[in-house]
Amino acid sequence: MTEEEVAVCIQRAARGEQDACRQLYQRFHGSVRRVAFGFSGLGPAEVEDVVQETFARAFRELPRLQHPRAFSRWLVTIARNHALALSRGERVRALAAEHLSREVEDIAPAVPPSLGVERRVAVVRALIEELPEGPEKETARLFYLEGELSAREIAERLGLGKSAVTMRLERFRARVKRELLARLLAAEVE
Amino acid sequence: MADTGRHLDAEGWRALQRKEPEAVAYFARHLAAPCDVCEEFLAAEQEEDALGLEALADEALGEAAGPAREDAVGWARLRRRLGAPRRAWLAGAVAAAVAAGLAVLVLPQVMRTETTPSQRIKGTVPLVLELAAMAKLPNGETPPVRDDTVLPPEAVVLLHYHSSEAADALLLREAPGLPTQVLGRYELEPGTNPLREGADLAGVSLEGEQGPVTLVLVAWPKGPGSREAVEQAAGQGAVPPDAVRARLHLRVDPGHAAP
Ligand SMILES: [Zn+2]
């Protein structure tokens, strides 16, 4: 799906057209699930709950989304908030409504060209590539490049504790954040 | 902020959220290379994230694996939560079996439903459009659906069309007292085919429905303006009087087990 096709889908989905909702779901469920899968405290059923809650909420609130380009960033934001709440043992419903309105409005409409999603994906891949051969690289590769396994499943496969896998994924994600932040700031300086 | 040994902390983070030029310039340089101290700070969830850094990272990390495989089960669960009228899709083997059943069931029979001739340019053959359907019931039965068939709300209606030529089409649901709702857009091929969405059969779930429900397939022969006509009708949520359409009238009765 091109960016334009996604934008058209979002308009249709905002009018309640379910075929458009379906296309958006199929296009983005992977990214949403990946956010939830990173929380090793969540079991498979809870991960699916995060995916369901995220899309249900997003489709309900869609008419309020001002910038179609921000749709997938908005989705992963909702997903992270749900996953955090669930993994802390809070009830999903405990997420306040104003929290969600912040989610809609907080998402910046545009990102600098140096931070377009393709460029950021390239950054992620390069950072994985640069890691020295070893368990950290293997974990990041399995989780983010193969994109099928949960943190729990990777722990089983590598014979590690759940927390060890989570820690490695968090460390790698922090490295991605550091690199993206550097680029974001560099774009500000220019 | 000129000290070169400075790492990210709560204060530096706040300065970056406010885009204080000195902090921005310093950390743009400092963070350009890996730094364990700063990365440890970034690994923790921050209260404030005006830059949207979490979302930028999660979006990129989520896309790194490429397109995810189709999730028919997750979608089926989700669409049950979305507002009526609900759609239903049958995927894979079930879809193939039902499609085969449809072909056997429908083709020898007269196509049901009315057809309205199109108001096309004089001298051209009008598009012929017909609609046939069967219901998928919870007990696995798949009876044919005719006009005024009574169905339980658990039924999923699967549609088959016959079109005399390639066309752009819109499927709508009409019910008394409710606004007309767009159920989907389709590209029709000439001949008799099941209505498909990707690899799935398009079906209409009757969950949440009660009383008369009419499914309307509206089509425009493929050509200049046919897509625009679909969009216009979808935007207005109405069947244009000059469009070719085929209707299927149903009744949904919760007390009714099977047709
Ligand atoms: Zn540092």
Side-chain angles (χ1 to χ4, degrees):
Chain A
M1 266 173 117
T2 64
E3 199 172 90
E4 190 147 317
E5 286 166 341
V6 169
V8 169
C9 251
I10 289 168
Q11 276 178 5
R12 291 176 182 173
R15 292 202 296 260
E17 293 184 28
Q18 296 218 352
D19 58 331
C21 293
R22 175 179 179 272
Q23 287 182 51
L24 291 173
Y25 179 83
Q26 296 299 357
R27 168 65 184 80
F28 293 110
H29 76 85
S31 296
V32 168
R33 190 168 279 110
R34 207 102 302 266
V35 170
F37 267 157
F39 290 78
S40 66
L42 301 182
E46 289 167 310
V47 167
E48 290 313 306
D49 282 348
V50 170
V51 176
Q52 293 283 318
E53 277 298 320
T54 298
F55 280 97
R57 202 175 264 257
F59 288 146
R60 210 163 48 229
E61 296 288 322
L62 206 47
R64 294 173 52 212
L65 183 70
Q66 302 286 320
H67 309 284
R69 276 159 179 272
F71 177 70
S72 102
R73 274 178 283 145
W74 179 49
L75 273 183
V76 293
T77 304
I78 300 172
R80 179 158 292 277
N81 285 335
H82 278 308
L84 267 172
L86 259 188
S87 65
R88 283 175 186 156
E90 296 164 32
R91 292 188 58 82
V92 174
R93 287 197 189 89
L95 279 176
E98 63 265 25
H99 202 142
L100 186 71
S101 55
R102 273 219 326 264
E103 282 162 356
V104 184
E105 282 137 27
D106 274 0
I107 302 297
V111 292
S114 59
L115 282 163
V117 66
E118 295 85 5
R119 299 285 287 274
R120 276 177 282 134
V121 168
V123 165
V124 169
R125 292 192 176 133
L127 287 175
I128 293 176
E129 192 56 39
E130 283 166 19
L131 289 171
E133 292 302 326
E136 181 143 12
K137 182 173 190 166
E138 186 60 5
T139 304
R141 200 187 60 74
L142 281 174
F143 190 79
Y144 289 119
L145 294 187
E146 292 206 354
E148 296 279 343
L149 299 174
S150 66
R152 281 188 173 195
E153 289 163 333
I154 290 174
E156 279 168 31
R157 181 182 285 203
L158 299 181
L160 294 164
K162 282 188 301 186
S163 58
V165 169
T166 307
M167 208 178 69
R168 282 176 192 161
L169 289 175
E170 276 174 4
R171 198 153 55 204
F172 177 71
R173 190 169 169 278
R175 174 156 289 201
V176 170
K177 281 168 73 177
R178 193 265 308 149
E179 183 67 36
L180 297 181
L181 180 57
R183 288 170 186 238
L184 204 57
L185 299 177
E188 285 287 326
V189 172
E190 274 160 20
Chain B
M1 200 70 67
D3 46 335
T4 50
R6 176 142 195 226
H7 298 288
L8 262 182
D9 55 12
E11 195 194 330
W13 180 253
R14 272 195 303 275
L16 291 182
Q17 304 307 307
R18 290 192 298 266
K19 296 193 177 172
E20 289 177 14
E22 251 183 297
V24 168
Y26 171 77
F27 282 109
R29 269 195 320 278
H30 178 80
L31 296 174
C35 171
D36 286 345
V37 181
C38 288
E39 285 173 21
E40 201 180 320
F41 175 82
L42 287 170
E45 206 79 27
Q46 306 305 324
E47 272 290 307
E48 196 190 355
D49 183 18
L51 300 171
L53 186 58
E54 300 283 352
L56 285 174
D58 280 335
E59 185 185 37
L61 289 163
E63 295 281 318
R69 64 179 64 169
E70 179 122 342
D71 175 20
V73 174
W75 167 249
R77 190 178 156 203
L78 179 64
R79 62 116 187 123
R80 282 197 295 272
R81 295 182 54 174
L82 304 175
R86 282 120 181 170
R87 309 295 318 286
W89 286 266
L90 299 180
V94 178
V98 171
L102 257 180
V104 170
L105 182 100
V106 164
L107 294 179
Q109 298 185 0
V110 178
M111 289 290 184
R112 303 299 310 165
T113 79
E114 79 202 63
T115 308
T116 309
S118 73
Q119 311 291 307
R120 293 180 70 184
I121 308 157
K122 277 179 192 140
T124 60
V125 183
L127 169 70
V128 175
L129 183 69
E130 287 166 297
L131 198 57
M134 63 190 287
K136 181 138 195 331
L137 301 176
N139 64 8
E141 285 177 24
T142 49
V145 174
R146 299 188 167 78
D147 253 351
D148 301 320
T149 294
V150 181
L151 291 167
E154 297 79 26
V156 173
V157 179
L158 298 161
L159 296 166
H160 225 78
Y161 66 87
H162 174 83
S163 179
S164 58
E165 56 191 290
D168 285 307
L170 200 60
L171 183 66
L172 302 151
R173 172 273 229 159
E174 297 174 333
L178 293 170
T180 300
Q181 184 144 10
V182 175
L183 297 181
R185 292 170 172 73
Y186 305 89
E187 289 188 27
L188 307 185
E189 290 165 17
T192 303
N193 299 289
L195 204 59
R196 284 189 177 276
E197 290 183 0
D200 298 350
L201 286 181
V204 181
S205 162
L206 299 178
E207 204 181 331
E209 303 277 7
Q210 191 164 3
V213 173
T214 303
L215 301 176
V216 194
L217 188 67
V218 195
W220 290 264
K222 241 190 195 322
S226 59
R227 274 173 184 267
E228 289 76 4
V230 166
E231 287 317 312
Q232 202 180 353
Q236 293 168 351
V239 180
D242 64 333
V244 182
R245 82 209 68 160
R247 277 195 165 85
L248 179 66
H249 303 280
L250 306 169
R251 277 192 64 82
V252 182
D253 180 356
H256 199 87

